Amino acid sequence: MRNVFDYQIEYSGLQNRMAQMFDPKSGHTVMLAVDHGYFQGAPAGLINLRETVEPLLPYCDAVSPTIGGLKTSFNSNMRTPIILRATGGNSMRMPDELDDEIITVSVEEMLRVNAVGFTVSCYVGLDCQSQTIQSLTDLTDEAHKYGLVSIGITAVGADPVLTKFVKGEREDGGELTADDKKEAIKYLKHASRVLSENGADIIKTYYCDGFEEVVEACLAPIVIAGGTKRPTKEALEFTSNAIKAGAVGVDMGRNIFQNEHPVAMIQAVRAIVHDNKSPKEALEFYEEIKNKS
Ligand code: R5P
């Protein structure tokens, strides 16, 4: 006996592009974020973008550069799916205006460079909330005509309260209090849900304790950004916690390319994301690769 669900009625380009970004076995993804220069200028680890990226590419399921980074520092022969940063216009030289982001890449340009998807930073709760959510909805609407995947990022700019949540520490470097942690869950849960309600296919957000609540409340799959560089063990621990809590992968930058051994680090992250290794096992793997190299 058959029923209608045995047939795929329509091939979907969007689903096919999603499939390119995710490992078919684990259903998870390790995306490498190298787009930081769009507002940070030349951060440590990305001064020579080409040199940073080349040894890491074999270990990425997708890579997230800016349009300028892609055109100058990547080889057209590469086969890694591209997730293009599609918003910007801000700069750390004006921290108070970090949330003032606009669309910087057209859908036509995304297609020209053969991107499978794009990222848009949305500043929920900040001055430019509606402008940045509108960038997400406008681009998603246009890009979905061609089956490109939209990723909404819950960005926090320089807001002192929100940056505390994403850094996982207080302004003075001290540990978050129980109240801070509750507020972090509340904010990240709210912001992720808002972006999913506004039509993002994937949400990129930051890890916090109690991340299960963020995942549960979000209508779309979640990947985590890594945030500021942490010690290797700590970065592997929060990656593992995020995956256990239901994240479908990472779109991670500084905790990989600013690590003392980026190639070992990305493989250790993969071991957690794809092979379900514990942080301890992943750290041993990291040490093993590091010592060999
Ligand atoms: C902001 O610069 C971008 O959205 C980054 O791609 C994002 O923050 C992920 O990079 P990281 O893991 O360094 O936070």
Side-chain angles (χ1 to χ4, degrees):
M1 285 241 293
R2 282 177 168 236
N3 69 38
V4 71
F5 302 114
D6 295 327
Y7 294 84
Q8 179 185 280
I9 304 295
E10 192 190 358
Y11 173 88
S12 158
L14 180 69
Q15 289 298 338
N16 179 265
R17 287 189 179 87
M18 282 275 249
Q20 290 178 46
M21 299 159 50
F22 286 85
D23 181 89
K25 235 169 100 195
S26 67
H28 289 167
T29 185
V30 173
M31 298 191 240
L32 176 69
V34 287
D35 58 346
H36 306 62
Y38 89 92
F39 76 103
Q40 291 189 4
L46 291 185
I47 306 285
N48 186 325
L49 186 55
R50 184 185 290 270
E51 266 181 21
T52 300
V53 163
E54 263 179 14
L56 297 173
L57 270 185
Y59 306 103
C60 309
D61 299 304
V63 64
S64 315
T66 58
I67 186 68
L70 179 67
K71 288 182 175 176
T72 57
S73 310
F74 287 72
N75 190 315
S76 305
N77 294 337
M78 93 163 162
R79 302 182 58 145
T80 313
I82 298 155
I83 307 292
L84 205 57
R85 164 150 289 275
T87 57
N90 49 356
S91 150
M92 274 171 86
R93 292 298 296 271
M94 297 176 82
D96 291 347
E97 294 179 18
L98 269 186
D99 61 333
D100 192 5
E101 256 185 58
I102 51 166
I103 294 173
T104 49
V105 176
S106 67
V107 171
E108 193 184 358
E109 179 74 322
M110 293 176 201
L111 293 169
R112 198 158 35 231
V113 298
N114 200 30
V116 299
F118 60 92
T119 55
V120 172
S121 290
C122 299
Y123 294 82
V124 176
L126 301 182
D127 288 350
C128 296
Q129 165 176 280
S130 59
Q131 163 191 322
T132 53
I133 291 181
Q134 188 170 2
S135 296
L136 173 70
T137 54
D138 284 355
L139 273 179
T140 303
D141 193 29
E142 181 64 12
H144 275 183
K145 291 180 190 161
Y146 308 98
L148 292 161
V149 179
S150 81
I151 301 183
I153 304 175
T154 67
V156 297
D159 185 87
V161 175
L162 301 183
T163 45
K164 192 170 67 181
F165 298 158
V166 308
K167 279 188 182 157
E169 61 183 29
R170 308 207 101 207
E171 273 172 287
D172 59 7
E175 281 191 19
L176 295 183
T177 64
D179 282 348
D180 290 333
K181 288 183 182 177
K182 267 194 214 151
E183 284 302 310
I185 300 177
K186 206 167 144 194
Y187 175 75
L188 294 172
K189 180 163 111 177
H190 173 85
S192 300
R193 176 67 182 243
V194 166
L195 301 198
S196 67
E197 294 276 4
N198 278 284
D201 300 307
I202 296 175
I203 308 302
K204 171 169 160 182
T205 191
Y206 293 85
Y207 176 74
C208 63
D209 284 353
F211 200 65
E212 294 80 1
E213 274 195 50
V214 179
V215 173
E216 200 184 334
C218 185
L219 302 177
I222 291 187
V223 295
I224 59 152
T228 34
K229 159 87 171 62
R230 311 272 187 89
T232 304
K233 183 167 174 276
E234 208 181 304
L236 294 174
E237 275 165 1
F238 74 68
T239 302
S240 170
N241 290 343
I243 298 296
K244 277 195 215 133
V248 297
V250 299
D251 187 8
M252 191 176 273
R254 289 162 287 181
N255 278 288
I256 293 174
F257 63 71
Q258 289 180 350
N259 187 281
E260 297 70 20
H261 301 276
V263 174
M265 186 58 177
I266 195 168
Q267 290 184 75
V269 169
R270 286 188 74 81
I272 290 170
V273 172
H274 290 312
D275 305 328
N276 211 15
K277 297 290 181 203
S278 68
K280 187 172 171 282
E281 289 169 318
L283 187 61
E284 284 164 7
F285 188 40
Y286 168 88
E287 294 292 343
E288 197 183 306
I289 304 166
K290 184 183 109 177
N291 293 335
K292 268 192 211 151
S293 64

